[in-house]
Amino acid sequence: LQKMLSEQKHLADLGLAVSKINHDMRNILASAQLMSDRLVDVDDPMVKSFAPKLVRTIDRAVGYTSEVLAYGQASEAEPRRRRFALTTLSQEVEDILALDTNIHFISQIQPDIMIDADSEQLFRVIHNLCRNAAQALAGSGSGIPGRILLSAHRVGSVVSITVDDDGPGMPRKAREHLFTPFRGSARAGGTGLGLAIAREIILAHGGTIALVEKPGPGTQFRIEIPDRPVSLDNFRLKSQL
């Protein structure tokens, strides 16, 4: 009985891991397809502009699929943290989203905002939140141009990132099961895995992610990620150089 229960848990863990990878892969390949379709009608300078972005997108998808090889690993990999400028990540998210002309992506991140995080994992989180916002705006049917606003600021050793849109807002049912796999989707046909993955990644960074109540329409998420504690041994070693 113990062996059977162990096997069932292992299969359940594997199923969740595969579902999580498939979710991110589906989103990124969909964006890659949108950009590759545009290559048909563009001149060489545009091809040169889109090609590197397309390659990076496909590389990310390949990287996600390789995680299936870690059998039963339902948790995310340990973050490989480094300091980098958030503006670089913001630009990549905007490029990959490939938004239509009726949705405006606005970044209010200053070039000097540095963050200590795993750039690939944080890309997945912010890309998923922005993609959810874009889908909500596109599905609203209002015909009014929508807006996705990405902003960030640093207070001491903590960086706060906000993803805000002026769409129809999150349904009550989705709010009740926020960050719960297979129950927290805000749209029909969704799995709700995106927010669950995002929460797991941010928690692994020692941070928090939360839905923020706002007076006007739309949805706003706030991410807070602290820098890693300074190692005294490393500090002393560097101070002696």
Side-chain angles (χ1 to χ4, degrees):
L1 180 61
Q2 287 179 336
K3 182 180 178 181
M4 182 181 68
L5 291 175
S6 177
E7 289 176 348
Q8 288 181 345
K9 183 180 183 301
H10 212 156
L11 288 173
D13 289 346
L14 178 61
L16 179 58
V18 171
S19 296
K20 289 161 65 176
I21 294 167
N22 178 69
H23 176 273
D24 280 331
M25 183 176 174
R26 180 181 59 188
N27 285 349
I28 288 184
L29 289 180
S31 298
Q33 185 179 16
L34 284 173
M35 287 194 291
S36 63
D37 289 342
R38 293 185 180 184
L39 295 178
V40 178
D41 300 319
V42 296
D43 297 327
D44 286 347
M46 292 295 292
V47 171
K48 292 179 181 179
S49 173
F50 278 110
K53 300 169 187 175
L54 182 59
V55 170
R56 287 200 301 270
T57 303
I58 295 174
D59 284 345
R60 282 193 172 104
V62 172
Y64 295 161
T65 58
S66 66
E67 296 179 20
V68 179
L69 300 177
Y71 175 72
Q73 290 280 335
S75 60
E76 295 292 333
E78 189 72 17
R80 295 190 288 258
R81 301 179 70 158
R82 63 180 180 86
R83 290 181 68 86
F84 63 93
L86 261 179
T87 50
T88 304
L89 187 147
S90 171
Q91 186 60 56
E92 288 187 355
V93 169
E94 182 178 5
D95 292 339
I96 297 301
L97 282 174
L99 298 172
D100 61 40
T101 56
N102 210 36
I103 301 176
H104 303 290
F105 182 90
I106 303 170
S107 175
Q108 293 183 345
I109 300 176
Q110 298 300 316
D112 61 342
I113 298 292
M114 305 292 290
I115 190 167
D116 179 22
D118 185 313
S119 58
E120 283 298 317
Q121 290 189 350
L122 187 58
F123 171 88
R124 291 170 64 187
V125 173
I126 296 179
H127 173 259
N128 184 78
L129 293 177
C130 291
R131 183 178 174 83
N132 286 350
Q135 290 174 338
L137 289 167
S140 65
S142 64
I144 302 173
R147 182 207 64 181
I148 301 172
L149 176 63
L150 180 61
S151 60
H153 67 276
R154 173 179 283 275
V155 178
S157 61
V158 178
V159 173
S160 177
I161 305 170
T162 301
V163 179
D164 184 42
D165 70 68
D166 55 0
M170 186 169 288
R172 182 178 58 83
K173 183 178 179 181
R175 288 172 176 265
E176 292 173 354
H177 302 289
L178 205 62
F179 307 118
T180 303
F182 307 110
R183 301 187 68 188
S185 176
R187 60 185 176 84
T191 62
L193 279 169
L195 290 178
I197 296 170
R199 180 176 182 272
E200 188 174 333
I201 288 174
I202 298 303
L203 289 179
H205 281 77
T208 60
I209 178 172
L211 178 67
V212 180
E213 295 293 337
K214 50 185 292 189
T219 302
Q220 182 180 122
F221 280 93
R222 179 176 297 135
I223 300 166
E224 294 178 337
I225 297 180
D227 296 340
R228 286 168 293 178
V230 176
S231 168
L232 287 178
D233 291 336
N234 290 341
F235 171 77
R236 289 165 182 160
L237 180 62
K238 290 179 180 179
S239 65
Q240 293 171 1
L241 297 177

